[in-house]
């Protein structure tokens, strides 16, 4: 048996959790204090507790505490206000009722000008409504889900993971747990273009134990005269229809007062009766109660707004539920949050507007092209009736003429017997001169229909008027001109839908557990409320493009423009967005980008570059090692030879060089941080002006030190490389020999000077003391012998050093000649 998969699959892990729960025994819940129970109905949170010194709870039903006479007076006053509000919109309801007829949902049986005359309606309005509903539901609610997310504040990896989880969770809630959501949304989109206004009510349903959003027709939302929006309206009333059993459930739950209501009122609702008539329904057996849920500002005695303990006289928001006819008040509750010092009214309704009008309700097709539709219907009926009379004409006949079969129309190919009193047959019958359907009237019908469709922005584009060779920009301009009105309507729907999703996400965040019911693909289970606080939920629809064709043409224009300067565009990201716009699944796998890459080793990066896949450097990697591996790969002759045979060789080399440059940039950043002694701000971080100036100055000083260190390292490496050169070594040895020879000569000169000085001293002594010289002759000769011996020893030592150096030079030259020979 084949099982169809859901449009939006349940997140990973939910099935396992469900199976685990099925195996557990039933839970038994015991309420310690039955009088303290939290109940939420209709978006209202109620905490019913027993009264103590502090009085009723903030969210309790105040109708249980207010005097019965005051309640009756309040109910009657509100019913009178509601009646005044209904009277103020009489003309709007009249246009509404007349427009319902123009939809043509029910064929009109006409007896004028004759029985069986044409009762067809021109489908101008119905066509526009169906087209708007079909286009908008596909834009706002695709199969993948209606929700996408937007990160609040700085974009981080943690927030990106949270955004993915919130998107998955919201789409699962709206497509799987809320099966009625799409149907209610489509009902709203049917009513919106016709009437000009439609409403959605968002609240937590205690029976379903989840959030819900239901469609409310425009006629059931009643606002005070002069209101222009839900936020500024002094009074907003929701007319509800509930059975006695539904009311009893709410009474037992403590949401409504437990009182006898009597029989439901039978007050006439002309607008509802008109809708029932046009849709072929009847309200004969309708025994539902009509309740008015009034969102109004009141200054209730005993519950006044206080300042310094004194009443201020300011009316504050309440929700009062009143029964139609009797004026019984079932509930009175505060309609603002307890911790809200501004006492702002809580939002429960979302107003969708087709075309904003002069007042609260918007203008719809009933108001905009109702006259066109009425005229087109009239002309169409005239043309059909004219054709009927022309094909089956009537006329006059003489009283003496008798036709067998009476006066019933003659069928095609039928001949009947005729009794003629006198004269010829032609003299007894006179057909009336009926004309064929008028061509002028038909042309006028086409003009009216075309004008109505153009005004309703539903006319088709004439492709024959466009050249197949027209630039994409020209096509885009034509599309924008034709779809400008519809684009504005779609933008208003987008804004209202965003508000509705915001209310739903707040309920999901506040009324659910802290953790997910399943294991998210990314992140921890206990991150649900934290995820919703970090991201904003928005619709998937694009307010700048009303249709998919318009978005595709926009992307085609960008792709065409990128061909003129591809180096400044992120082409993978551009093509991925194009695939996502076309609705292609797994676009991330088809076109991976740098943002999808994860850190890998340099060898894997080389393989990815050779395969044409994107690569990305990360700030914490060993960039020197990566650069060395990449440079060695580029200098490898085998790799160079293989790349040279690839037709995409230039692109591969450019990609590798760009990746190496990325590592070089990170390596230089790390050297700056080492000189600064502190980390720099993360790349692409938005910094205040003062901080950016300080960082720039510090980086300038650090860059000088980095430059000096780099220059020193380069000079040292060059010296080491030169020291390893054989020619340089020979030159250094020759220099050393020259230095030794020069040192020997210097020593010899010094010894010669010393000898001459000694001889001069001796001669001076001989001349001065000739007598003493003879006596000391033996001593002088001994000194001469000592000097001579020292001289001979020095000369011998110098000769030995010279012979050793010459021997070393001979050995070096022989080794050099031996190396060259090899």
């Amino acid at each position: 048996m084949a099982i169809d998969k859901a449009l939006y699959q349940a997140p990973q892990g939910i099935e396992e959790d469900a199976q685990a729960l099925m195996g557990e025994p039933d839970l038994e819940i015991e309420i310690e204090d039955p009088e303290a129970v939290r109940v939420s109905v209709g978006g209202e949170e109620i905490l019913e507790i027993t009264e103590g010194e502090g009085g009723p709870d903030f969210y309790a039903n105040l109708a249980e505490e207010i005097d019965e006479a005051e309640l009756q007076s309040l109910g009657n006053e509100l019913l009178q206000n509601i009646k005044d509000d209904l009277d103020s919109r009489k003309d709007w309801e009249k246009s509404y009722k007349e427009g319902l007829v123009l939809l043509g949902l029910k064929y009109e049986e006409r007896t004028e000008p004759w029985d069986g005359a044409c009762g067809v309606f021109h489908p101008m309005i119905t066509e526009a409504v169906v087209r708007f509903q079909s286009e908008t539901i596909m834009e706002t609610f695709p199969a993948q889900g209606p929700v996408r997310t937007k990160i609040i504040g700085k974009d981080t990896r943690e927030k990106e993971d949270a955004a993915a989880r919130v998107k998955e969770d919201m789409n699962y809630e709206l497509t799987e747990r809320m099966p009625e959501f799409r149907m209610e949304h489509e009902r709203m989109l049917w009513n919106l273009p016709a009437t000009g206004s439609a409403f959605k009510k968002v609240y937590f349903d205690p029976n379903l134990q989840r959030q819900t959003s239901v469609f409310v027709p425009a006629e059931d939302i009643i606002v005070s005269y002069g209101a222009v929006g839900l936020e500024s309206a002094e009074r907003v009333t929701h007319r509800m229809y509930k059975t006695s059993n539904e009311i009893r459930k709410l009474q037992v739950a403590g949401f409504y007062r437990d009182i006898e209501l009597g029989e439901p009122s039978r007050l006439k609702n002309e607008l509802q009766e008109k809708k029932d008539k046009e849709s072929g329904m009847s309200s004969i057996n309708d025994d539902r109660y009509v309740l008015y849920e009034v969102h109004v500002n009141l200054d209730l005695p005993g519950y006044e707004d206080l300042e310094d303990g004194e009443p201020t006289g300011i009316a504050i928001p309440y929700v009062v539920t009143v029964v139609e006819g009797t004026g019984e008040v079932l509930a009175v509750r505060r309609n603002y949050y307890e911790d809200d010092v501004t006492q702002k009214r809580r939002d429960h309704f979302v107003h969708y507007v087709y075309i904003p009008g002069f007042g609260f309700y918007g203008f719809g097709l009933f108001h905009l092209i109702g006259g066109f539709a009425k005229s087109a219907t009239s002309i169409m009926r005239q043309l059909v009736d004219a054709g009927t009379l022309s094909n089956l004409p009537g006329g006059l006949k003489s009283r003496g003429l008798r036709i067998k079969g009476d006066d019933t129309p003659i069928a095609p190919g039928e001949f009947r017997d005729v009794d003629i009193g006198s004269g010829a047959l032609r003299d007894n019958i006179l057909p009336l001169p009926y004309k064929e359907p008028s061509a002028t009237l038909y042309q006028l019908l086409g003009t009216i229909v075309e004008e109505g469709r153009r005004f309703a922005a539903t006319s088709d584009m004439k492709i024959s008027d466009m050249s197949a060779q027209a630039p994409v920009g020209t096509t885009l301009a034509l599309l924008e001109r034709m779809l400008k009105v519809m684009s504005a309507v779609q933008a208003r729907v987008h804004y209202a839908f965003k508000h509705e999703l915001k209310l739903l996400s707040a309920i999901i965040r506040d009324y659910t557990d802290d953790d997910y019911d399943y294991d998210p693909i990314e992140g921890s289970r206990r991150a649900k409320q934290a995820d919703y606080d970090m991201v904003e939920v928005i619709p998937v629809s694009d307010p700048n493009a009303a249709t998919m064709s318009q978005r595709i043409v926009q992307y085609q224009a960008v792709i065409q423009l990128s061909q003129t300067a591809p180096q400044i565009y992120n082409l993978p990201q551009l093509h991925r967005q194009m695939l996502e716009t076309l609705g292609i699944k797994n676009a991330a796998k088809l076109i991976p980008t740098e943002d999808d890459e994860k850190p890998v080793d340099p060898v894997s990066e080389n393989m990815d570059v050779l395969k044409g896949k994107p690569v990305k450097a990360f700030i914490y990697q060993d960039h020197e090692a990566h650069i060395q591996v990449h440079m060695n790969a580029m200098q490898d002759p085998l790799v160079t030879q293989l790349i040279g045979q690839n037709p995409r060789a230039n692109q591969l080399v450019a990609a590798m060089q760009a990746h190496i440059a990325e590592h070089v940039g990170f390596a230089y950043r790390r050297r700056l941080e080492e000189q600064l002694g502190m980390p720099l701000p993360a790349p692409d971080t938005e910094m205040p002006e003062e901080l950016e100036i300080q960082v720039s100055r510090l980086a300038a000083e650090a860059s000088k030190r980095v430059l000096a260190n780099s220059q020193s390292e380069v000079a040292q490496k060059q010296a080491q490389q030169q020291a390893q050169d054989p020619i340089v070594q020979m030159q250094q040895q020759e220099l050393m020999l020259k230095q030794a020879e020069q040192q020997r000569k210097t020593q010899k000169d010094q010894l010669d000077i010393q000898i001459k000085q000694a001889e001069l001293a001796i001669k001076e002594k001989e001349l001065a003391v000739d007598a003493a010289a003879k006596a000391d002759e033996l001593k002088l000769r001994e000194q001469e012998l000592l000097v001579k011996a020292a001289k001979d020893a020095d000369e011998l030592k110098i000769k030995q050093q010279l012979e050793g150096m010459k021997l070393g030079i001979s050995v070096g030259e022989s080794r050099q000649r031996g190396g060259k020979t090899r």
Side-chain angles (χ1 to χ4, degrees):
M1 181 179 66
I3 301 177
D4 295 334
K5 294 184 177 181
L7 291 178
Y8 199 92
Q9 295 299 313
Q12 179 181 358
I14 192 170
E15 296 180 356
E16 291 80 356
D17 290 349
Q19 293 176 0
L21 290 175
M22 291 296 293
E24 297 179 358
D26 296 337
L27 297 177
E28 296 183 1
I29 301 176
E30 180 180 357
I31 302 176
E32 296 180 357
D33 186 2
E35 298 183 357
V37 181
R38 181 180 297 274
V39 181
S40 299
V41 179
E44 302 298 327
E45 181 180 310
I46 307 97
L47 186 60
E48 191 86 21
I49 64 173
T50 56
E51 295 183 30
E53 295 180 358
D57 182 71
F58 184 83
Y59 296 107
N61 186 1
L62 303 181
E64 302 285 356
E65 307 298 325
I66 300 176
D67 182 71
E68 185 66 31
E70 293 182 1
L71 287 178
Q72 191 65 41
S73 175
L74 175 63
N76 293 334
E77 181 182 355
L78 290 177
L79 287 180
Q80 182 59 43
N81 292 334
I82 294 171
K83 182 178 181 302
D84 295 338
D85 295 340
L86 289 173
D87 292 339
S88 67
R89 68 174 196 179
K90 285 290 186 181
D91 293 338
W92 178 83
E93 291 187 357
K94 180 181 179 181
S95 300
Y96 193 157
K97 289 185 288 185
E98 292 176 353
L100 291 172
V101 179
L102 297 176
L103 286 175
L105 301 178
K106 183 179 180 181
Y107 184 79
E108 183 179 1
E109 297 291 344
R110 299 178 62 199
T111 58
E112 296 292 338
W114 66 83
D115 191 13
C118 178
V120 69
F121 291 89
H122 193 279
M124 183 187 303
I125 295 180
T126 307
E127 176 190 5
V129 169
V130 172
R131 178 171 294 192
F132 174 83
Q133 182 194 39
S134 303
E135 293 177 353
T136 309
I137 190 62
M138 296 305 298
E139 290 295 319
T140 59
F141 208 112
Q144 294 80 9
V147 175
R148 59 189 174 101
T149 52
K150 178 182 178 182
I151 295 176
I152 301 175
K154 181 181 177 181
D155 193 352
T156 62
R157 182 65 179 177
E158 180 185 4
K159 290 184 178 180
E160 290 177 357
D161 294 341
R165 290 193 293 267
V166 170
K167 176 183 176 182
E168 184 180 16
D169 186 59
M170 279 289 294
N171 284 320
Y172 171 71
E173 291 285 337
L174 298 182
T175 58
E176 298 299 327
R177 291 198 64 203
M178 300 173 60
E180 79 285 351
F181 183 81
R182 182 185 176 98
M183 182 58 66
E184 294 292 322
H185 195 62
E186 290 199 68
R187 290 180 58 202
M188 183 275 298
L189 293 177
W190 168 268
N191 284 264
L192 175 60
T195 62
S197 287
F199 298 86
K200 297 286 284 294
K201 186 177 183 180
V202 181
Y203 60 95
F204 184 84
D205 192 326
N207 296 325
L208 300 176
Q209 285 299 306
R210 60 169 172 82
Q211 68 285 344
T212 186
S213 178
V214 296
F215 162 69
V216 180
E219 63 269 18
D220 289 337
I221 297 295
I222 308 166
V223 298
S224 55
Y225 175 78
V228 295
L230 289 173
E231 298 79 9
S232 59
E234 182 69 20
R235 183 173 50 257
V236 178
T237 304
H238 177 203
R239 179 165 50 193
M240 303 181 298
Y241 300 90
K242 292 185 178 296
T243 64
S244 59
N245 189 49
E246 291 174 334
I247 295 177
R248 185 56 188 165
K249 287 181 180 179
L250 296 174
Q251 288 178 333
V252 173
F255 187 71
Y256 287 158
R257 286 201 306 155
D258 191 1
I259 60 175
E260 292 292 336
L261 298 181
E263 293 295 327
S265 64
R266 300 293 181 178
L267 296 180
K268 187 177 182 181
N269 187 343
E270 297 181 356
L271 188 55
Q272 184 63 41
E273 290 180 354
K274 188 67 176 179
K275 290 180 67 175
D276 293 341
K277 179 180 178 181
E278 295 300 323
S279 58
M281 300 180 66
S282 175
S283 59
I284 297 177
N285 297 322
D286 186 12
D287 57 352
R288 296 176 299 174
Y289 288 89
V290 178
L291 306 182
Y292 292 109
E293 185 181 86
V294 188
H295 298 243
V296 62
N297 296 325
L298 298 173
D299 186 15
L300 295 178
Y303 304 95
E304 300 89 346
D305 178 61
L306 302 177
E307 182 176 0
D308 297 332
E310 295 295 331
T312 62
I314 298 176
I316 56 179
Y318 288 92
V319 177
V320 183
T321 306
V322 186
V323 182
E324 184 185 58
T326 61
E328 293 284 352
V329 176
L330 296 179
V332 178
R333 286 189 171 85
R334 297 179 177 92
N335 192 27
Y336 57 93
Y337 291 104
E338 184 174 6
D339 56 353
D340 185 5
V341 295
T342 62
Q343 298 177 341
K344 180 182 177 182
R345 180 190 298 173
R346 295 175 60 181
D347 292 334
H348 302 283
F349 301 99
V350 180
H351 187 189
Y352 287 83
V353 181
Y354 191 74
I355 300 293
F358 298 113
F360 176 78
Y361 298 99
F363 287 147
L365 298 176
F366 289 165
H367 314 87
L368 301 178
I369 61 172
F372 288 97
K374 193 171 184 179
S375 299
T377 297
S378 176
I379 295 177
M380 180 183 292
R381 290 180 176 182
Q382 293 180 47
L383 291 174
V384 173
D385 290 342
T388 302
L389 293 175
S390 177
N391 293 332
L392 297 173
L396 305 175
K397 67 174 184 178
S398 62
R399 292 185 176 180
L401 181 66
R402 295 288 184 269
I403 302 176
K404 185 177 181 181
D406 202 2
D407 296 336
T408 57
I410 300 176
E414 179 185 3
F415 292 89
R416 293 187 181 180
D417 297 332
V418 179
D419 297 329
I420 301 176
S422 61
L425 180 60
R426 71 181 61 178
D427 297 332
N428 289 271
I429 297 178
L430 178 62
L432 295 178
Y434 293 112
K435 296 181 179 180
E436 294 286 337
S438 173
T440 303
L441 202 60
Y442 180 75
Q443 185 177 2
L444 179 60
L445 174 64
T447 302
I448 292 177
V449 171
E450 181 62 26
E451 289 295 321
R453 287 177 174 173
R454 184 182 62 82
F455 189 77
T458 58
S459 58
D460 296 323
M461 178 183 294
K462 295 182 179 180
I463 303 299
S464 59
D465 295 343
M466 299 176 55
S467 173
Q469 304 298 327
V472 178
T474 303
T475 305
L476 182 61
L478 292 174
L479 273 174
E480 184 179 1
R481 182 178 179 182
M482 293 198 63
L483 299 175
K484 188 173 290 293
V485 175
M486 190 54 60
S487 297
V489 176
Q490 294 283 6
R492 284 187 283 270
V493 172
H494 176 88
Y495 175 80
F497 194 34
K498 177 183 176 181
H499 184 51
E500 180 181 355
L501 293 178
K502 182 179 180 181
L503 296 179
L504 285 170
S505 65
I507 296 176
I508 295 175
R509 178 195 61 198
D510 297 337
Y511 284 84
T512 54
D513 297 333
D514 292 339
D515 60 345
Y516 286 96
D517 299 331
Y518 52 88
D519 290 325
I521 297 177
E522 298 287 344
S524 170
R525 284 172 57 94
R526 304 192 63 83
K528 189 165 190 179
Q529 289 189 355
D531 289 348
Y532 277 92
D533 292 335
M534 287 189 289
V535 299
E536 181 181 1
V537 177
I538 57 178
V540 295
S541 58
D542 185 1
N544 300 316
T547 61
M548 178 185 292
S549 60
Q550 189 175 0
R551 289 195 295 272
I552 292 175
V553 172
Q554 288 177 348
Y555 277 108
Q556 287 178 343
V558 177
I559 292 175
Q560 186 179 25
L561 187 62
S562 66
Q563 296 175 358
T564 59
Q567 69 276 6
I568 65 175
Y569 285 86
N570 188 348
L571 295 179
Q573 184 65 28
L574 179 60
H575 285 80
R576 178 191 285 190
Q577 291 181 358
M578 181 68 167
L579 293 183
E580 291 175 350
T581 301
L582 293 172
I584 304 300
K585 295 182 179 180
N586 300 323
K589 295 182 179 179
L590 296 177
I591 306 180
T593 61
E594 290 185 358
D595 296 336
D596 300 328
E597 296 303 315
K598 296 182 179 180
V600 295
D601 58 89
V603 178
S604 300
E605 290 180 347
N606 288 341
M607 297 174 61
D608 290 338
V609 171
L610 294 176
K611 291 186 292 186
K613 293 184 177 181
V615 290
K616 182 180 181 180
F618 292 85
I619 192 171
Y620 59 85
Q621 291 178 322
D622 188 348
H623 303 290
E624 288 77 7
H626 278 254
I627 293 172
Q628 187 65 43
V629 174
H630 298 329
M631 294 297 296
N632 292 340
M634 292 187 67
Q635 296 173 2
D636 192 298
L638 295 178
V639 176
T640 304
Q641 182 180 3
L642 293 176
I643 291 179
Q645 299 174 359
N646 194 321
R648 300 174 59 246
N650 294 334
Q651 298 179 4
L652 297 179
V653 173
M656 178 62 80
Q657 291 177 345
H659 182 61
I660 292 175
E662 193 175 6
H663 280 295
V664 171
F666 279 129
Y668 184 77
R669 172 191 174 89
R670 183 175 297 172
R671 296 178 65 186
L672 282 177
E673 290 177 340
E674 292 175 355
Q675 291 296 327
L676 291 172
M678 65 178 189
L680 291 170
D684 301 330
T685 300
E686 294 184 4
M687 294 183 290
E689 294 181 1
E690 297 180 357
L691 179 60
E692 191 275 332
I693 293 174
Q694 293 178 1
V695 172
S696 300
R697 292 173 178 173
L698 293 174
E701 295 296 329
S703 64
K704 294 179 181 179
R705 297 192 293 270
V706 171
L707 177 60
N709 294 339
S710 299
Q711 291 175 343
S712 176
E713 291 177 2
V714 170
Q716 186 177 0
K717 289 182 180 179
Q718 291 177 352
Q720 292 177 354
Q721 292 176 355
Q722 292 177 358
Q724 297 175 357
D725 192 351
I727 298 176
V728 175
Q729 292 178 356
M730 292 178 62
Q731 292 176 351
Q732 291 178 350
Q733 292 176 359
E734 291 177 357
L735 181 61
M736 291 174 63
L737 290 173
K738 291 180 180 180
Q739 292 176 351
E741 182 67 21
Q742 183 66 30
Q743 185 178 3
R744 185 192 63 79
K745 290 181 180 181
T746 303
Q747 292 177 354
K748 186 176 181 301
D749 293 339
Q750 291 177 354
L751 290 174
D752 291 342
I753 292 172
Q754 291 177 0
I755 291 172
K756 289 181 180 180
Q757 290 177 350
E759 290 176 351
L760 182 60
I762 293 172
K763 287 181 179 180
E764 289 179 351
K765 290 180 180 180
E766 287 178 351
L767 293 174
V769 285
D770 186 37
K774 292 180 179 180
D776 297 330
E777 182 178 357
L778 181 59
K779 185 176 181 179
L780 289 172
R781 292 188 64 85
E782 289 177 355
Q783 291 179 353
E784 289 177 357
L785 291 174
L786 291 173
V787 172
K788 185 177 179 181
K791 179 179 178 181
D792 293 338
D794 292 335
E795 288 179 353
L796 179 61
K797 183 178 180 181
I798 291 172
K799 287 180 180 180
Q800 289 176 353
Q801 289 179 353
L802 290 174
E803 288 176 357
M805 290 181 181
K806 290 180 181 180
L807 180 61
I809 292 172
S810 300
V811 172
E813 290 177 349
S814 63
R815 288 180 179 177
Q816 184 177 1
R817 287 194 299 270
K820 291 181 179 181
T821 302
R822 288 192 296 270

